[in-house]
Amino acid sequence: MNKYSTLKGVCDIVPPDDKLWDFIEEISKEVFSIYGFKNIRIPVIEYTELFKRGIGEGTDIVEKEMYTFSDRSGRSITLRPEGTASVVRSYIENNLSDLPSPQKFFYLGPMFRYERPQKGRYRQFYQIGAEVFGSSNPSTDAEIFSMLNMFLDKVGLTNTQLQINSIGCPICRPNYISSLIEFFSKHSDNLCTDCQNRLQKNPLRLLDCKNEGCGIIKKDAPLITQSLCGECVNHHNQLKHLLDLQGISFIENPLIVRGLDYYTKTAFEITADHIGAQNTVIAGGRYDNLVHEFGGAKTPAIGFAIGLERLALLLKDKEMIDKKVPLIYFAILGDKALDKALLMAKKYRKEGLWVEIGNPSDSLKSQMKKADKFNAESVIIIGENEINSGIAIKKRMNDGVQEEVNIN
Ligand code: ATP
Ligand code: MG
């Protein structure tokens, strides 16, 4: 029995998965920087108020998923359940609106939500997220989808589906919410307990319920598409036109509402059908009022977050490429050989090569076995003869090709 284990729903990411994770992170940085996004490092802890205000009191996250505690001076602190609220706070606090507009940022790191752990759903999980501030134009929404397409393409994830919706704005949504409340009130006895609660606090979220019984009821629910105001309709149509223009396929799903309160207009999810129930890999949307609500100037914005565990699960199924750095293994006999190997290793590492040095007190045979286990690309043996002649043999393991190297 292990004396210690991780908390429930919290995972170690250990080799060989480290390569896959590095790969995903590198691709995201590469692709996002092509689109002009800058890295922003936001804190893991914030005042609880930030999330309550930003995410919304009636949401699942704020109601039951936050890791909240009092610090030593009695302030209420929360481990971040998502990144957008912090980026918006930081945007205002650091006057980032002074940067050339639109301002684009991405972040990467762990998030914390007290959820029921299952495949693809954890209590500590990683997100790569991005936010754009200062553009209300649907071309910005379209650019985000173009960037995500490139990202998915480069990480090698195929068979995904982009689902879009518009959830309106403060002008048209209240009417829609009223019609939702009217509709669901008639069925309230047959709703799950969560949905009966949502009916009071967050009616939009009724559409997002995964419960089967609620699913049957919501089939007949009024759709937001029919309630959008002229401006929201235009925005949505223009976005669809720009997606078509770029050959980005999508489906319209009027049930996509997102769990957070701050969204306006475009809401979207990218799903992949082979990871079971937790099939949303990327989710996001527009939030044109949050910056202002947080005390900043009126600033339209749009963002998204990629769930890394879910993405890694999908790519692992596809036997992701193990991005190999060629390894040179030094099998060495005696301390003098160790001196030589150390000096040569320094040189090779400077060239960016991965070097491992055997233990001089191990036999040659056991060092060769280790080289094999490491899957070393080539082995250099240094013993007394090599030290005397100043020449060693570098042997490539897969085909046995040999090359002389000067060990001085
Ligand atoms: P879900 O409906 O699956 O609970 P969500 O709407 O709560 O997702 P967001 O807050 O929008 O998700 O987060 C964006 C992405 O982060 C999700 O699409 C998912 O890939 C990932 N994600 C969210 N919660 C978790 C979690 N508990 N464990 C692992 N990944 C998560
Ligand atoms: Mg959730």
Side-chain angles (χ1 to χ4, degrees), residues 58 177-189 191-206:
I177 301 284
S178 307
S179 63
L180 265 190
I181 295 175
E182 195 187 318
F183 172 82
F184 280 109
S185 298
K186 284 188 265 178
H187 301 276
S188 69
D189 292 348
L191 293 172
C192 71
T193 355
D194 273 346
C195 276
Q196 287 179 357
N197 235 326
R198 288 177 186 133
L199 191 52
Q200 309 301 321
K201 290 186 174 153
N202 195 352
L204 206 55
R205 274 295 263 183
L206 280 157

mmCIF file of all heavy atoms in Angstrom, residues 58 177-189 191-206:
data_model
loop_
_atom_site.group_PDB
_atom_site.id
_atom_site.type_symbol
_atom_site.label_atom_id
_atom_site.label_comp_id
_atom_site.label_asym_id
_atom_site.label_seq_id
_atom_site.Cartn_x
_atom_site.Cartn_y
_atom_site.Cartn_z
ATOM 1 N N GLY A 58 -25.417 32.027 -10.152
ATOM 2 C CA GLY A 58 -26.286 30.863 -10.358
ATOM 3 C C GLY A 58 -25.635 29.719 -11.123
ATOM 4 O O GLY A 58 -26.294 28.750 -11.480
ATOM 5 N N ILE A 177 -35.383 34.455 -22.324
ATOM 6 C CA ILE A 177 -35.368 33.820 -20.998
ATOM 7 C C ILE A 177 -36.799 33.705 -20.461
ATOM 8 O O ILE A 177 -37.187 32.667 -19.918
ATOM 9 C CB ILE A 177 -34.491 34.633 -20.003
ATOM 10 C CG1 ILE A 177 -33.056 34.753 -20.508
ATOM 11 C CG2 ILE A 177 -34.531 34.009 -18.614
ATOM 12 C CD1 ILE A 177 -32.193 33.543 -20.378
ATOM 13 N N SER A 178 -37.578 34.759 -20.661
ATOM 14 C CA SER A 178 -38.971 34.702 -20.186
ATOM 15 C C SER A 178 -39.721 33.565 -20.863
ATOM 16 O O SER A 178 -40.465 32.818 -20.200
ATOM 17 C CB SER A 178 -39.716 36.004 -20.499
ATOM 18 O OG SER A 178 -39.000 37.079 -20.009
ATOM 19 N N SER A 179 -39.518 33.411 -22.169
ATOM 20 C CA SER A 179 -40.248 32.342 -22.853
ATOM 21 C C SER A 179 -39.737 30.969 -22.397
ATOM 22 O O SER A 179 -40.501 30.008 -22.312
ATOM 23 C CB SER A 179 -40.189 32.505 -24.377
ATOM 24 O OG SER A 179 -38.859 32.408 -24.825
ATOM 25 N N LEU A 180 -38.439 30.884 -22.074
ATOM 26 C CA LEU A 180 -37.894 29.618 -21.546
ATOM 27 C C LEU A 180 -38.533 29.288 -20.204
ATOM 28 O O LEU A 180 -38.946 28.154 -19.959
ATOM 29 C CB LEU A 180 -36.383 29.748 -21.328
ATOM 30 C CG LEU A 180 -35.418 29.279 -22.398
ATOM 31 C CD1 LEU A 180 -34.003 29.292 -21.838
ATOM 32 C CD2 LEU A 180 -35.765 27.884 -22.916
ATOM 33 N N ILE A 181 -38.599 30.296 -19.328
ATOM 34 C CA ILE A 181 -39.172 30.078 -17.994
ATOM 35 C C ILE A 181 -40.624 29.633 -18.125
ATOM 36 O O ILE A 181 -41.062 28.679 -17.482
ATOM 37 C CB ILE A 181 -39.063 31.362 -17.131
ATOM 38 C CG1 ILE A 181 -37.588 31.677 -16.871
ATOM 39 C CG2 ILE A 181 -39.828 31.207 -15.820
ATOM 40 C CD1 ILE A 181 -37.336 32.980 -16.140
ATOM 41 N N GLU A 182 -41.339 30.294 -19.024
ATOM 42 C CA GLU A 182 -42.748 29.953 -19.222
ATOM 43 C C GLU A 182 -42.871 28.495 -19.679
ATOM 44 O O GLU A 182 -43.660 27.730 -19.141
ATOM 45 C CB GLU A 182 -43.331 30.906 -20.277
ATOM 46 C CG GLU A 182 -44.846 30.896 -20.314
ATOM 47 C CD GLU A 182 -45.364 31.732 -21.484
ATOM 48 O OE1 GLU A 182 -44.815 32.835 -21.720
ATOM 49 O OE2 GLU A 182 -46.282 31.248 -22.164
ATOM 50 N N PHE A 183 -42.030 28.128 -20.646
ATOM 51 C CA PHE A 183 -42.092 26.759 -21.172
ATOM 52 C C PHE A 183 -41.742 25.719 -20.106
ATOM 53 O O PHE A 183 -42.480 24.769 -19.877
ATOM 54 C CB PHE A 183 -41.154 26.628 -22.376
ATOM 55 C CG PHE A 183 -41.000 25.208 -22.854
ATOM 56 C CD1 PHE A 183 -41.947 24.627 -23.695
ATOM 57 C CD2 PHE A 183 -39.919 24.426 -22.434
ATOM 58 C CE1 PHE A 183 -41.815 23.307 -24.120
ATOM 59 C CE2 PHE A 183 -39.784 23.104 -22.857
ATOM 60 C CZ PHE A 183 -40.734 22.544 -23.699
ATOM 61 N N PHE A 184 -40.595 25.904 -19.446
ATOM 62 C CA PHE A 184 -40.134 24.875 -18.512
ATOM 63 C C PHE A 184 -40.973 24.821 -17.236
ATOM 64 O O PHE A 184 -41.055 23.774 -16.594
ATOM 65 C CB PHE A 184 -38.647 25.058 -18.181
ATOM 66 C CG PHE A 184 -37.731 24.511 -19.253
ATOM 67 C CD1 PHE A 184 -36.996 25.358 -20.071
ATOM 68 C CD2 PHE A 184 -37.607 23.144 -19.454
ATOM 69 C CE1 PHE A 184 -36.149 24.857 -21.057
ATOM 70 C CE2 PHE A 184 -36.776 22.625 -20.436
ATOM 71 C CZ PHE A 184 -36.045 23.491 -21.238
ATOM 72 N N SER A 185 -41.587 25.945 -16.874
ATOM 73 C CA SER A 185 -42.435 25.935 -15.673
ATOM 74 C C SER A 185 -43.562 24.932 -15.846
ATOM 75 O O SER A 185 -43.971 24.258 -14.893
ATOM 76 C CB SER A 185 -43.023 27.324 -15.426
ATOM 77 O OG SER A 185 -41.989 28.230 -15.209
ATOM 78 N N LYS A 186 -44.053 24.827 -17.078
ATOM 79 C CA LYS A 186 -45.156 23.886 -17.341
ATOM 80 C C LYS A 186 -44.713 22.435 -17.116
ATOM 81 O O LYS A 186 -45.523 21.562 -16.903
ATOM 82 C CB LYS A 186 -45.648 24.060 -18.787
ATOM 83 C CG LYS A 186 -46.498 25.313 -18.981
ATOM 84 C CD LYS A 186 -47.119 25.349 -20.376
ATOM 85 C CE LYS A 186 -46.257 26.147 -21.313
ATOM 86 N NZ LYS A 186 -46.647 26.260 -22.682
ATOM 87 N N HIS A 187 -43.381 22.211 -17.224
ATOM 88 C CA HIS A 187 -42.871 20.834 -17.089
ATOM 89 C C HIS A 187 -42.064 20.647 -15.809
ATOM 90 O O HIS A 187 -41.361 19.651 -15.674
ATOM 91 C CB HIS A 187 -41.968 20.512 -18.284
ATOM 92 C CG HIS A 187 -42.665 20.623 -19.597
ATOM 93 N ND1 HIS A 187 -43.414 19.611 -20.141
ATOM 94 C CD2 HIS A 187 -42.726 21.648 -20.480
ATOM 95 C CE1 HIS A 187 -43.907 19.999 -21.306
ATOM 96 N NE2 HIS A 187 -43.511 21.226 -21.540
ATOM 97 N N SER A 188 -42.174 21.593 -14.881
ATOM 98 C CA SER A 188 -41.207 21.608 -13.779
ATOM 99 C C SER A 188 -41.225 20.317 -12.943
ATOM 100 O O SER A 188 -40.204 19.890 -12.422
ATOM 101 C CB SER A 188 -41.399 22.843 -12.897
ATOM 102 O OG SER A 188 -42.607 22.730 -12.213
ATOM 103 N N ASP A 189 -42.396 19.672 -12.841
ATOM 104 C CA ASP A 189 -42.467 18.436 -12.050
ATOM 105 C C ASP A 189 -41.602 17.327 -12.619
ATOM 106 O O ASP A 189 -41.158 16.444 -11.887
ATOM 107 C CB ASP A 189 -43.921 17.933 -11.961
ATOM 108 C CG ASP A 189 -44.770 18.882 -11.125
ATOM 109 O OD1 ASP A 189 -44.168 19.756 -10.454
ATOM 110 O OD2 ASP A 189 -46.009 18.763 -11.162
ATOM 111 N N LEU A 191 -38.722 17.797 -14.282
ATOM 112 C CA LEU A 191 -37.311 18.178 -14.437
ATOM 113 C C LEU A 191 -36.482 17.562 -13.314
ATOM 114 O O LEU A 191 -37.000 17.296 -12.223
ATOM 115 C CB LEU A 191 -37.168 19.704 -14.386
ATOM 116 C CG LEU A 191 -37.787 20.494 -15.544
ATOM 117 C CD1 LEU A 191 -37.734 21.989 -15.247
ATOM 118 C CD2 LEU A 191 -37.080 20.192 -16.860
ATOM 119 N N CYS A 192 -35.177 17.353 -13.570
ATOM 120 C CA CYS A 192 -34.294 16.882 -12.506
ATOM 121 C C CYS A 192 -34.139 17.991 -11.455
ATOM 122 O O CYS A 192 -34.457 19.150 -11.726
ATOM 123 C CB CYS A 192 -32.936 16.456 -13.082
ATOM 124 S SG CYS A 192 -31.906 17.815 -13.667
ATOM 125 N N THR A 193 -33.648 17.624 -10.274
ATOM 126 C CA THR A 193 -33.551 18.623 -9.195
ATOM 127 C C THR A 193 -32.668 19.800 -9.598
ATOM 128 O O THR A 193 -32.985 20.950 -9.305
ATOM 129 C CB THR A 193 -32.960 17.996 -7.904
ATOM 130 O OG1 THR A 193 -32.800 16.612 -8.131
ATOM 131 C CG2 THR A 193 -33.825 18.257 -6.723
ATOM 132 N N ASP A 194 -31.553 19.473 -10.290
ATOM 133 C CA ASP A 194 -30.665 20.542 -10.729
ATOM 134 C C ASP A 194 -31.418 21.536 -11.609
ATOM 135 O O ASP A 194 -31.274 22.747 -11.466
ATOM 136 C CB ASP A 194 -29.482 19.972 -11.535
ATOM 137 C CG ASP A 194 -28.335 19.571 -10.619
ATOM 138 O OD1 ASP A 194 -28.368 19.973 -9.435
ATOM 139 O OD2 ASP A 194 -27.426 18.855 -11.088
ATOM 140 N N CYS A 195 -32.225 20.998 -12.530
ATOM 141 C CA CYS A 195 -32.926 21.876 -13.475
ATOM 142 C C CYS A 195 -34.014 22.678 -12.783
ATOM 143 O O CYS A 195 -34.296 23.812 -13.163
ATOM 144 C CB CYS A 195 -33.493 21.074 -14.637
ATOM 145 S SG CYS A 195 -32.253 20.804 -15.912
ATOM 146 N N GLN A 196 -34.645 22.090 -11.744
ATOM 147 C CA GLN A 196 -35.648 22.862 -11.008
ATOM 148 C C GLN A 196 -34.979 24.075 -10.375
ATOM 149 O O GLN A 196 -35.547 25.165 -10.350
ATOM 150 C CB GLN A 196 -36.301 21.973 -9.955
ATOM 151 C CG GLN A 196 -37.232 20.973 -10.634
ATOM 152 C CD GLN A 196 -37.927 20.025 -9.667
ATOM 153 O OE1 GLN A 196 -37.673 20.062 -8.465
ATOM 154 N NE2 GLN A 196 -38.786 19.179 -10.212
ATOM 155 N N ASN A 197 -33.752 23.851 -9.923
ATOM 156 C CA ASN A 197 -32.947 24.942 -9.388
ATOM 157 C C ASN A 197 -32.594 25.962 -10.454
ATOM 158 O O ASN A 197 -32.671 27.168 -10.243
ATOM 159 C CB ASN A 197 -31.643 24.347 -8.845
ATOM 160 C CG ASN A 197 -31.444 24.721 -7.412
ATOM 161 O OD1 ASN A 197 -31.838 25.822 -7.011
ATOM 162 N ND2 ASN A 197 -30.839 23.817 -6.648
ATOM 163 N N ARG A 198 -32.162 25.425 -11.635
ATOM 164 C CA ARG A 198 -31.758 26.307 -12.730
ATOM 165 C C ARG A 198 -32.912 27.187 -13.182
ATOM 166 O O ARG A 198 -32.729 28.330 -13.602
ATOM 167 C CB ARG A 198 -31.266 25.473 -13.924
ATOM 168 C CG ARG A 198 -29.913 24.843 -13.667
ATOM 169 C CD ARG A 198 -29.465 23.955 -14.814
ATOM 170 N NE ARG A 198 -28.228 23.275 -14.448
ATOM 171 C CZ ARG A 198 -27.993 21.965 -14.616
ATOM 172 N NH1 ARG A 198 -28.907 21.199 -15.186
ATOM 173 N NH2 ARG A 198 -26.856 21.445 -14.241
ATOM 174 N N LEU A 199 -34.098 26.626 -13.120
ATOM 175 C CA LEU A 199 -35.284 27.368 -13.532
ATOM 176 C C LEU A 199 -35.397 28.663 -12.725
ATOM 177 O O LEU A 199 -35.803 29.705 -13.235
ATOM 178 C CB LEU A 199 -36.522 26.480 -13.314
ATOM 179 C CG LEU A 199 -37.843 26.943 -13.912
ATOM 180 C CD1 LEU A 199 -37.704 27.278 -15.391
ATOM 181 C CD2 LEU A 199 -38.900 25.856 -13.733
ATOM 182 N N GLN A 200 -34.999 28.586 -11.447
ATOM 183 C CA GLN A 200 -35.022 29.781 -10.612
ATOM 184 C C GLN A 200 -33.828 30.691 -10.885
ATOM 185 O O GLN A 200 -33.969 31.905 -11.009
ATOM 186 C CB GLN A 200 -34.984 29.407 -9.114
ATOM 187 C CG GLN A 200 -36.005 28.372 -8.679
ATOM 188 C CD GLN A 200 -37.438 28.829 -8.961
ATOM 189 O OE1 GLN A 200 -37.753 30.002 -8.793
ATOM 190 N NE2 GLN A 200 -38.282 27.906 -9.429
ATOM 191 N N LYS A 201 -32.638 30.043 -10.996
ATOM 192 C CA LYS A 201 -31.418 30.853 -10.948
ATOM 193 C C LYS A 201 -30.759 31.116 -12.300
ATOM 194 O O LYS A 201 -30.106 32.143 -12.483
ATOM 195 C CB LYS A 201 -30.395 30.155 -10.048
ATOM 196 C CG LYS A 201 -30.803 30.190 -8.591
ATOM 197 C CD LYS A 201 -29.709 29.620 -7.732
ATOM 198 C CE LYS A 201 -30.014 29.769 -6.261
ATOM 199 N NZ LYS A 201 -29.351 28.714 -5.471
ATOM 200 N N ASN A 202 -30.838 30.151 -13.210
ATOM 201 C CA ASN A 202 -30.062 30.257 -14.446
ATOM 202 C C ASN A 202 -30.763 29.485 -15.563
ATOM 203 O O ASN A 202 -30.261 28.449 -16.017
ATOM 204 C CB ASN A 202 -28.660 29.676 -14.164
ATOM 205 C CG ASN A 202 -27.646 30.055 -15.222
ATOM 206 O OD1 ASN A 202 -27.993 30.631 -16.248
ATOM 207 N ND2 ASN A 202 -26.399 29.707 -14.989
ATOM 208 N N PRO A 203 -31.927 29.997 -15.994
ATOM 209 C CA PRO A 203 -32.793 29.238 -16.905
ATOM 210 C C PRO A 203 -32.099 28.790 -18.204
ATOM 211 O O PRO A 203 -32.399 27.723 -18.722
ATOM 212 C CB PRO A 203 -33.926 30.220 -17.230
ATOM 213 C CG PRO A 203 -33.880 31.241 -16.169
ATOM 214 C CD PRO A 203 -32.491 31.316 -15.665
ATOM 215 N N LEU A 204 -31.153 29.609 -18.694
ATOM 216 C CA LEU A 204 -30.474 29.262 -19.940
ATOM 217 C C LEU A 204 -29.796 27.893 -19.836
ATOM 218 O O LEU A 204 -29.727 27.132 -20.794
ATOM 219 C CB LEU A 204 -29.440 30.354 -20.247
ATOM 220 C CG LEU A 204 -29.049 30.574 -21.708
ATOM 221 C CD1 LEU A 204 -30.261 30.839 -22.576
ATOM 222 C CD2 LEU A 204 -28.064 31.724 -21.813
ATOM 223 N N ARG A 205 -29.300 27.613 -18.621
ATOM 224 C CA ARG A 205 -28.561 26.369 -18.407
ATOM 225 C C ARG A 205 -29.441 25.121 -18.489
ATOM 226 O O ARG A 205 -28.951 24.002 -18.579
ATOM 227 C CB ARG A 205 -27.864 26.400 -17.036
ATOM 228 C CG ARG A 205 -26.527 27.065 -17.063
ATOM 229 C CD ARG A 205 -25.531 26.304 -17.901
ATOM 230 N NE ARG A 205 -24.674 25.433 -17.107
ATOM 231 C CZ ARG A 205 -23.680 24.710 -17.587
ATOM 232 N NH1 ARG A 205 -23.424 24.746 -18.870
ATOM 233 N NH2 ARG A 205 -22.956 23.959 -16.808
ATOM 234 N N LEU A 206 -30.769 25.324 -18.469
ATOM 235 C CA LEU A 206 -31.664 24.179 -18.625
ATOM 236 C C LEU A 206 -31.387 23.459 -19.938
ATOM 237 O O LEU A 206 -31.528 22.244 -20.048
ATOM 238 C CB LEU A 206 -33.119 24.660 -18.623
ATOM 239 C CG LEU A 206 -33.733 24.954 -17.256
ATOM 240 C CD1 LEU A 206 -34.889 25.909 -17.401
ATOM 241 C CD2 LEU A 206 -34.204 23.665 -16.610
#
